[in-house]
Amino acid sequence: MKLIIRPEKGLGKIEVELDEGLEREILELAKRYGVPPERVIEVALTQEFKEAKENVDELVKKARELEKRVWELETEYAPLRYKAYGISEDNKILAIELSGLIAENNQLRRFLRLPLNRNPELRKLISYYLQG
C-alpha cells in the first residue's frame, strides 16, 4: 500500500510505502470500526485516539452477563406475550360480533319504529379493540 500525504496548502507531498502487515492491520481496523482506511491512518498520525477509561475486558464481561439476563427474561415473558396476543385476538373477534349485534339491534328498532340506541362510549370501546 502506498501512502501519500499532501499538505492543505502548498505543493509538497510525502510518499511512504507500507508493508503488508501494517496494511492488513489498517484495513482490519477500518472494517472493525466502519471507517475508511484513510481515517484510521489520520487518527494514528494525529494521535486522536482515546485510551479506555475502564477495563475493557471487565465491560465485555458485564455486557455478556446483561445479555444472559435479557435472554432469561425473554424466556420468562415470551409465554405471557403469546397469551396476551391470543387474548387481544379474541377481543377483536368479540368486538366484531358485538358490532354486528348492535347493528342487528338497530335494524330491529327501526323495524319496530323505536328510537335508536346511540351509545358512543360502546362504539369507542369497539373501535379500540378493533385497532389494537
Side-chain angles (χ1 to χ4, degrees), residues 64-117:
R64 286 191 180 131
E65 289 174 7
L66 289 173
E67 185 178 5
K68 183 179 177 183
R69 180 69 179 136
V70 165
W71 283 112
E72 288 173 2
L73 290 172
E74 177 69 24
T75 57
E76 184 178 332
Y77 290 110
L80 295 174
R81 279 201 326 267
Y82 180 75
K83 287 178 184 176
Y85 174 76
I87 291 171
S88 148
E89 291 301 307
D90 290 345
N91 285 343
K92 281 183 185 179
I93 292 169
L94 291 173
I96 291 169
E97 288 179 14
L98 182 59
S99 179
L101 291 173
I102 289 173
E104 186 178 339
N105 188 10
N106 282 336
Q107 284 293 85
L108 290 172
R109 287 182 155 278
R110 278 192 191 109
F111 180 73
L112 296 173
R113 296 188 179 124
L114 295 174
L116 298 178
N117 283 343

Side-chain angles (χ1 to χ4, degrees), residues 27-46:
L27 294 174
E28 181 181 311
L29 286 170
K31 184 178 178 183
R32 183 186 316 162
Y33 295 110
V35 295
E38 295 83 16
R39 179 68 181 140
V40 173
I41 295 169
E42 181 183 336
V43 167
L45 290 175
T46 59

Side-chain angles (χ1 to χ4, degrees), residues 5-6 9 14 18 23 49 51 53 68 71-73 78 88 96 102 130:
I5 302 172
R6 292 187 178 98
K9 294 182 180 179
I14 302 172
L18 300 177
E23 177 184 356
F49 48 86
E51 295 294 325
K53 292 181 181 177
K68 183 179 177 183
W71 283 112
E72 288 173 2
L73 290 172
S88 148
I96 291 169
I102 289 173
L130 289 177

